[in-house]
Amino acid sequence: AASPAAPERTGEAGGAAGEDRVAATYYRALLRHTRWSETQWDEAKGTYSDRDFGFAVVLGHAVLLTRGDFDEGEAGVSRATLKRRTLATLRHFASSNRLAGGAQWGRKLFFDTTFQSYFVLAARLLWSELDTGTRAAVDTITREQAAYTHSLGTGDDPDSGSWTPNGLTGGYVGDTKLEEMGVYAQTLAPALAWAPDDRRRPGWAADYGTWSRNEAGLPPADLANPTRVDGVPVARNRARNVYDTFIVENHGSFGPHYQEELWRTSGRNAAHFLAAGRPLPEVLTAQPNAESLWRTLLGVMSDAGEPLMPMVSDREHLYGRDVIPLAFLSRVAGDRAAARAELELAARLEAYQEYPPRYRLTKFSGEPKYEPEARAELAISYLLHVWPDAGRRVRPVSREELFEQAKGVTDFGTGPGLVAHQSPAAWAGAVTKPGFVKFAWQPGHDDWLFRLSGSTPMFLPSTAAEVGGRTVRVHTAARDGFDGSATLLRLGDGFAGYTTLPTGAVVYAADGSYAGSSRLEVHNLTMPGVAGLDGSRTYRFAEGSAEVPAQDAASRGEAAGRTDELTFGRATVRHLRMLGVQPDPAYGYSLFAVEARDGDGGPDLARGRAATASSHTPGMGPGMAVDGAADTRWAVSKEDRRRADSWWAVDLGAAHALDRVTLRWEAAAARVYRLQGSSDGERWTDLATGPEPAVRSRGGWLDIDGRAGLVVRGGGEHPVAVYGDMVVPADGAQTPLVVEGRCGVTPGELRDLARGAAPAAADGRVRAALTDGHLSLFNLSAHTVDTRVEVPQRGRRRRVYEGEQTVTRDGLACAVRLDAASARLLPPRFTLTPLSGRALPPGLRVRVTDGSTLHLSGPGCRVRIEAQGRSTEATVRGRRGTRVTVPGARPYPYDDHALGRNTFPTSPLPRGMSWPGAAVDGDPDTAWRPGPDGRMVVDLGERRAVRRVEAEWTTPWAPAAHVEFSRDGVHYRRAGTLWGLGRVRRLHRAASARYVAVKVHGTPHAHARVVRLSVR
């Protein structure tokens, strides 16, 4: 039975005291969502629906009935009616649960028990209102679910089909078992919270700990973590549900929503313990790997507090699913970054709710089945905010601090197929997972600017491109002095590359096979309250500006497609055909109506005529596009959605003269198509190409709604174009193309950049761009190339790059060597300024050794040399030259394999130990405190040749320590002892290893810490 105090604690009305701003938003959203939840009421049955567990709406009802000031006008239903319906539903589904003797639902781990958790919590919130029989049934459900789960051991639930945690082994390639283990844990939490007197409780508690500790799936290198959580060493965990780089896949690709499941299930579980007045199990506040997993999500976070999903087509903008992980991290874990993310999401939630279909919380998947879950989790999130025992309230970081904290760049490898770069100004990524291939960019972290979801191309024309080769170079601030990446892909017979810069800018390069069809797709909705979604997008370009209105369809309760009015020279035809060229990337082609007329105001010659198509979805035949009904439509078959050349045709019955055709598209609107006419239905003539562009400019630049800018070079001077909400940088180009994507620049600045000179390579296979001072180089060929690149620079100063270059009157001439199908991103290492009134002499040769040292030779001159905010002066005297080192500048890039790499143990750390990453972060002001017999592991990312390991301590009284090498992170061999005098201890040993461990013996001196661990 429940604690006697529990009903009073959770059931008090008017509990709005102490609510914060986020909680108040959640309460209002719950009230308004009630208008949707009431559509689930089945008057004939006298309960809320069991379809997709619609009856789970009772948890939101229970919160509204026991807390806050219930507003009947906002809810659309009286409090008395809501209470009556809620209690009736609790009575019915308590008795119909399989565990209570019914046969309707329950016990099945996937997905009955998730909704069972909501149901039990709702009943506990309304405990004093329930009859004795319903209470007994709820208590039985709570206890017997735990007993059933315990009876499975680590085996599968026979009712749940393929939904299995794979025992305690887990799984991470393609399909994480994080969610499955979380579900097993959440079936036990209600019993631990509400049935403390049950003699079976110790077994349930042991199972709960096992599943919860393994949920975040430990990489092999962390299996030696001795930390105890709820009395059990982390090292005992054996599941592997995440990649070593702390990224989670589901449904065959990177799935950040499933990475959030760690906190989604934890939020549900915590609610039961808090409602029952019980202390939280330690695993909820000391979750293995939680901090590292959260760090990865921060690396793909939008400004709306939701993770960006470049490989997921049906989870983007499901705001209701994003709430509870942030609420748990903010309130229970006390994470200030999560508090900011939650605040940003909450700030958009009510505007999102108002957008059609109104009141819903998960509308952009098109599937209302997520609504009951979203309502329940919004209710739990509200409770986590108003319950004082949930955790200590923390002050959110600022928005600027959030992205400063989140910044970084990671190549997650060819398996996950993602290079992700979070900068303070933007997010960018290269996706190479089959079926999702794209070069992604979100300036300002604005997930409502460019369409990103799985099937939507970005820059590259198709996500279906086959990657025949992938070369990636990642630059990090610790190793290289800046964050950035350079990726080049072989795509069939073509090549395309992408660089991401620390400023948030990106550079895209493509050869002729991809140049003309490259594109970006823009969100254009009417969602007042969300920045940028005011009903139109404005484009500025060399010849003027254009406004593209949003094509929302509030009357149909969903976002609509566009209407194309095509006019052409008068033609006489009997047959008309829409022949697809580029489909909507997710859903292909779909038309509500096609109308054909001769002159403005003429009769519709296509109405009621016989129509055919290449394929159609059942119930959406070709005739529905000419039946005169506004709510019927033709759509290609599901199998043909990605087929470009699908078609729809109509026989006008006889030859007719006409000069205009109207196509009314559904959301699945053709990106490009041809309108054709025929006299016999066999030989076709093009009448028009659609859609007509809203923008066509030859100025080489485009400002996108003041939120992003493009500078376009190459492509044979083909125009920048905007078709509806699709931006085409070089429409129809057949020659190589370079596009610079800029953040925070004005139209005037874009114009000046487009007019300015650009770098040019002597070898036409190489494309170059100079962006925010960084030099991007792309070898769009299958051969190694040695070439000279002219880099224009204005004024007397010259920025110089890695390698060899010669000063010219107009800038630099750089000698570069590029491997086949590769890209490079070069930062400006030094700035040279003549000390005389003249310019630097042409012919001055510069060889950059590293970030602190360069060699000057050639014509005599005096030069000021600046690097990293420091400077020195030098005199050049002829051919012998001068070697110059700038005092205090760091010699980037470092050859230290350990620098900036992942370290172990992760969270939670052993007693007395501080974060091991401080030993490899390149910061001399941070250090690792080992604690007693401390051991750390650094993952070098791949197997590397190792010749020397070096540890620098804060004190010469360093403890004895030895080094271990491993190739798999599980099996280690001792390599030797670190030795030396003073603060630096070394081991010289030739070996091949991916993981390097350092083990300290005994308890170090109180001030002994490792400032630097280097592996070379």
Side-chain angles (χ1 to χ4, degrees):
S3 160
E8 288 142 341
R9 181 176 180 275
T10 58
E12 52 191 7
E19 285 185 21
D20 56 22
R21 182 165 35 134
V22 171
T25 298
Y26 291 165
Y27 192 88
R28 290 193 300 271
L30 274 175
L31 273 173
R32 292 166 185 160
H33 190 254
T34 304
R35 290 180 175 269
W36 177 86
S37 71
E38 290 310 286
T39 66
Q40 302 300 292
W41 176 253
D42 187 327
E43 188 65 46
K45 294 181 178 178
T47 68
Y48 291 103
S49 171
D50 62 354
R51 181 181 179 185
D52 295 325
F53 301 99
F55 62 85
V57 299
V58 294
L59 179 52
H61 295 358
V63 167
L64 294 177
L65 291 168
T66 57
R67 287 190 173 269
D69 297 320
F70 187 84
D71 186 323
E72 296 185 351
E74 290 278 21
V77 63
S78 72
R79 189 179 187 280
T81 299
L82 192 71
K83 181 177 179 180
R84 173 176 54 80
R85 291 177 174 180
T86 299
L87 294 176
T89 298
L90 288 169
R91 283 195 300 272
H92 171 81
F93 285 102
S95 63
S96 70
N97 186 286
R98 296 184 187 99
L99 293 160
Q104 190 172 2
W105 74 294
R107 191 190 63 218
K108 180 178 176 181
L109 268 66
F110 290 89
F111 294 93
D112 293 40
T113 57
T114 295
F115 296 90
Q116 199 170 268
S117 174
Y118 305 146
F119 183 84
V120 169
L121 184 58
R124 291 294 178 174
L125 294 177
L126 291 168
W127 198 249
S128 61
E129 303 285 348
L130 301 179
D131 61 86
T132 302
T134 300
R135 287 190 191 184
V138 170
D139 187 55
T140 298
I141 292 167
T142 303
R143 295 169 187 264
E144 297 313 310
Q145 182 64 62
Y148 176 75
T149 302
H150 179 70
S151 74
L152 297 174
T154 58
D156 302 341
D157 172 25
D159 292 336
S160 295
S162 62
W163 296 93
T164 165
N166 194 25
L168 288 181
T169 304
Y172 65 101
V173 176
D175 185 12
T176 181
K177 298 305 179 181
L178 187 157
E179 178 188 23
E180 284 82 346
M181 292 188 179
V183 167
Y184 272 53
Q186 80 178 16
T187 63
L188 298 156
L192 295 177
W194 299 107
D197 59 334
D198 199 294
R199 60 180 176 77
R200 299 167 290 181
R201 190 178 191 279
W204 303 343
D207 290 351
Y208 178 80
T210 296
W211 291 118
S212 296
R213 286 189 305 274
N214 277 283
E215 187 176 353
L218 299 168
D222 207 27
L223 292 178
N225 189 347
T227 308
R228 289 180 176 268
V229 175
D230 288 319
V232 180
V234 171
R236 194 176 297 174
N237 301 344
R238 285 294 181 266
R240 189 175 184 195
N241 296 334
V242 300
Y243 279 92
D244 288 356
T245 45
F246 302 104
I247 194 171
V248 164
E249 289 190 318
N250 204 276
H251 299 306
S253 61
F254 170 47
H257 265 305
Y258 293 94
Q259 192 153 329
E260 287 183 313
E261 286 293 337
L262 176 63
W263 306 292
R264 192 169 283 120
T265 55
S266 296
R268 298 168 189 155
N269 295 342
H272 283 279
F273 291 108
L274 291 166
R278 311 245 169 238
L280 296 178
E282 187 180 14
V283 73
L284 287 178
T285 56
Q287 298 172 301
N289 274 353
E291 291 182 12
S292 298
L293 284 166
W294 173 231
R295 172 76 194 182
T296 300
L297 283 185
L298 280 175
V300 293
M301 185 66 66
S302 79
D303 68 339
E306 74 161 358
L308 300 165
M309 286 168 276
M311 299 185 224
V312 181
S313 292
D314 64 344
R315 299 292 189 275
E316 192 177 24
H317 297 128
L318 298 188
Y319 276 21
R321 287 178 64 93
D322 292 317
V323 168
I324 195 170
L326 296 178
F328 177 84
L329 283 165
S330 169
R331 289 290 293 119
V332 179
D335 189 282
R336 295 181 60 207
R340 166 53 55 183
E342 186 185 20
L343 194 63
E344 296 292 343
L345 181 61
R348 295 160 174 78
L349 186 58
E350 291 176 279
Y352 174 94
Q353 266 195 297
E354 283 297 301
Y355 186 77
R358 200 175 178 196
Y359 308 121
R360 279 179 51 188
L361 293 166
T362 59
K363 60 192 67 177
F364 284 89
S365 72
E367 298 180 273
K369 70 179 184 180
Y370 296 115
E371 293 296 322
E373 177 185 19
R375 179 176 180 80
E377 300 197 342
L378 186 66
I380 293 172
S381 300
Y382 167 82
L383 292 172
L384 291 178
H385 273 267
V386 300
W387 279 337
D389 293 342
R392 180 177 60 86
R393 294 190 182 278
V394 295
R395 179 175 58 84
V397 299
S398 69
R399 189 175 183 275
E400 292 72 25
E401 288 172 322
L402 174 67
F403 291 108
E404 183 65 30
Q405 178 178 329
K407 72 178 182 181
V409 57
T410 304
D411 176 11
F412 290 100
T414 55
L418 176 66
V419 178
H421 183 177
Q422 185 80 286
S423 71
W427 180 82
V431 180
T432 52
K433 196 77 172 181
F436 305 104
V437 178
K438 69 187 69 172
F439 290 139
W441 185 44
Q442 294 291 21
H445 315 99
D446 181 1
D447 64 339
W448 289 107
L449 180 57
F450 294 133
R451 296 182 184 271
L452 177 69
S453 65
S455 58
T456 304
M458 294 190 78
F459 285 111
L460 293 171
S462 172
T463 60
E466 293 189 13
V467 178
R470 172 189 188 267
T471 62
V472 176
R473 297 189 188 198
V474 164
H475 302 280
T476 63
R479 182 184 304 274
D480 303 284
F482 74 103
D483 288 334
S485 70
T487 301
L488 203 127
L489 306 180
R490 297 188 188 212
L491 303 168
D493 295 329
F495 299 86
Y498 198 55
T499 57
T500 68
L501 280 64
T503 59
V506 297
V507 182
Y508 166 69
D511 63 11
S513 56
Y514 288 95
S517 53
S518 302
R519 65 186 192 264
L520 290 165
E521 296 188 13
V522 179
H523 280 293
N524 194 1
L525 306 173
T526 307
M527 195 182 295
V530 177
L533 302 185
D534 59 1
S536 67
R537 293 289 189 180
T538 301
Y539 299 88
R540 296 175 178 84
F541 43 96
E543 296 85 355
S545 65
E547 189 172 281
V548 176
Q551 298 196 34
D552 302 298
S555 61
R556 287 203 305 274
E558 59 182 89
R562 62 174 191 270
T563 297
D564 293 343
E565 302 276 0
L566 300 182
T567 58
F568 43 87
R570 200 160 185 257
T572 300
V573 300
R574 173 171 175 163
H575 301 269
L576 281 174
R577 180 169 77 169
M578 183 288 299
L579 176 63
V581 176
Q582 287 183 2
D584 173 85
Y587 300 107
Y589 303 93
S590 182
L591 285 161
F592 279 110
V594 178
E595 302 162 9
R597 291 181 171 82
D598 185 25
D600 188 18
D604 178 6
L605 303 172
R607 173 77 66 87
R609 296 297 182 179
T612 54
S614 56
S615 70
H616 70 274
T617 296
M620 298 181 184
M624 291 184 169
V626 288
D627 64 0
D631 58 352
T632 62
R633 60 188 172 94
W634 161 76
V636 295
S637 67
K638 185 175 181 179
E639 296 73 22
D640 280 357
R641 284 176 175 177
R642 292 199 173 190
R643 181 170 176 169
D645 61 349
S646 294
W647 55 267
W648 176 94
V650 61
D651 180 350
L652 303 180
H656 289 278
L658 48 87
D659 64 358
R660 66 199 62 214
V661 170
T662 301
L663 295 96
R664 304 189 190 279
W665 295 96
E666 195 256 352
R671 297 302 191 252
V672 181
Y673 63 94
R674 294 183 342 206
L675 180 69
Q676 299 177 316
S678 172
S679 59
D680 58 9
E682 295 182 4
R683 291 163 295 184
W684 297 91
T685 300
D686 288 351
L687 301 176
T689 299
E692 286 293 321
V695 172
R696 188 176 290 280
S697 170
R698 294 190 178 276
W701 63 273
L702 181 71
D703 173 82
I704 303 169
D705 205 35
R707 297 177 175 273
L710 301 179
V711 177
V712 182
R713 306 184 195 278
E717 302 303 318
H718 281 258
V720 177
V722 177
Y723 292 92
D725 295 322
M726 180 175 68
V727 176
V728 181
D731 199 11
Q734 299 295 318
T735 57
L737 172 74
V738 173
V739 180
E740 297 175 53
R742 302 279 190 144
C743 303
V745 293
T746 66
E749 290 169 322
L750 290 170
R751 178 198 62 217
D752 293 343
L753 288 168
R755 289 176 178 175
D763 191 312
R765 294 171 292 182
V766 172
R767 294 287 133 176
L770 186 62
T771 312
D772 293 335
H774 291 68
L775 183 61
S776 297
L777 301 170
F778 305 91
N779 180 1
L780 302 176
S781 79
H783 305 281
T784 299
V785 174
D786 289 284
T787 189
R788 175 185 171 105
V789 178
E790 300 288 343
V791 182
Q793 295 188 25
R794 292 181 177 181
R796 300 166 60 236
R797 303 166 59 138
R798 292 290 181 266
R799 297 186 194 183
V800 297
Y801 300 87
E802 295 171 14
E804 296 189 2
Q805 52 242 285
T806 303
V807 172
T808 65
R809 294 186 183 280
D810 299 316
L812 298 174
C814 300
V816 299
R817 181 182 182 88
L818 291 170
D819 293 336
S822 69
R824 293 185 66 187
L825 177 63
L826 303 179
R829 288 299 188 197
F830 299 92
T831 300
L832 309 183
T833 306
L835 289 174
S836 66
R838 300 178 181 178
L840 290 171
L844 178 65
R845 293 184 295 278
V846 185
R847 185 176 74 250
V848 174
T849 304
D850 55 42
S852 66
T853 303
L854 76 169
H855 187 272
L856 302 171
S857 62
C861 60
R862 282 187 54 76
V863 184
R864 175 179 290 110
I865 303 162
E866 300 170 81
Q868 303 168 36
R870 295 169 169 82
S871 66
T872 190
E873 297 177 2
T875 300
V876 182
R877 295 186 178 91
R879 292 184 177 181
R880 292 187 60 183
T882 303
R883 183 177 183 273
V884 182
T885 297
V886 177
R890 296 189 178 187
Y892 299 119
Y894 289 104
D895 62 354
D896 180 0
H897 298 319
L899 199 56
R901 300 293 184 183
N902 283 331
T903 58
F904 304 89
T906 65
S907 56
L909 292 170
R911 181 179 60 85
M913 183 184 289
S914 65
W915 177 52
V920 297
D921 64 359
D923 186 345
D925 295 325
T926 63
W928 170 55
R929 183 179 68 250
D933 296 316
R935 180 178 181 274
M936 71 167 283
V937 177
V938 59
D939 178 1
L940 305 182
E942 61 185 3
R943 190 183 300 178
R944 298 177 183 272
V946 177
R947 295 189 177 275
R948 186 171 84 247
V949 178
E950 189 171 277
E952 180 181 350
W953 293 80
T954 55
T955 171
W957 300 285
H962 72 262
V963 175
E964 301 167 357
F965 293 151
S966 174
R967 295 183 177 183
D968 61 7
V970 177
H971 305 97
Y972 288 81
R973 67 185 188 279
R974 186 162 175 163
T977 301
L978 288 166
W979 63 273
L981 299 176
R983 295 168 51 195
V984 178
R985 307 295 170 91
R986 299 181 179 89
L987 169 70
H988 294 271
R989 178 63 58 87
S992 173
R994 172 171 174 173
Y995 301 90
V996 176
V998 172
K999 174 71 167 63
V1000 173
H1001 301 288
T1003 301
H1005 186 278
H1007 300 294
R1009 292 169 172 77
V1010 178
V1011 175
R1012 173 178 56 85
L1013 175 66
S1014 298
V1015 179
R1016 291 183 168 85

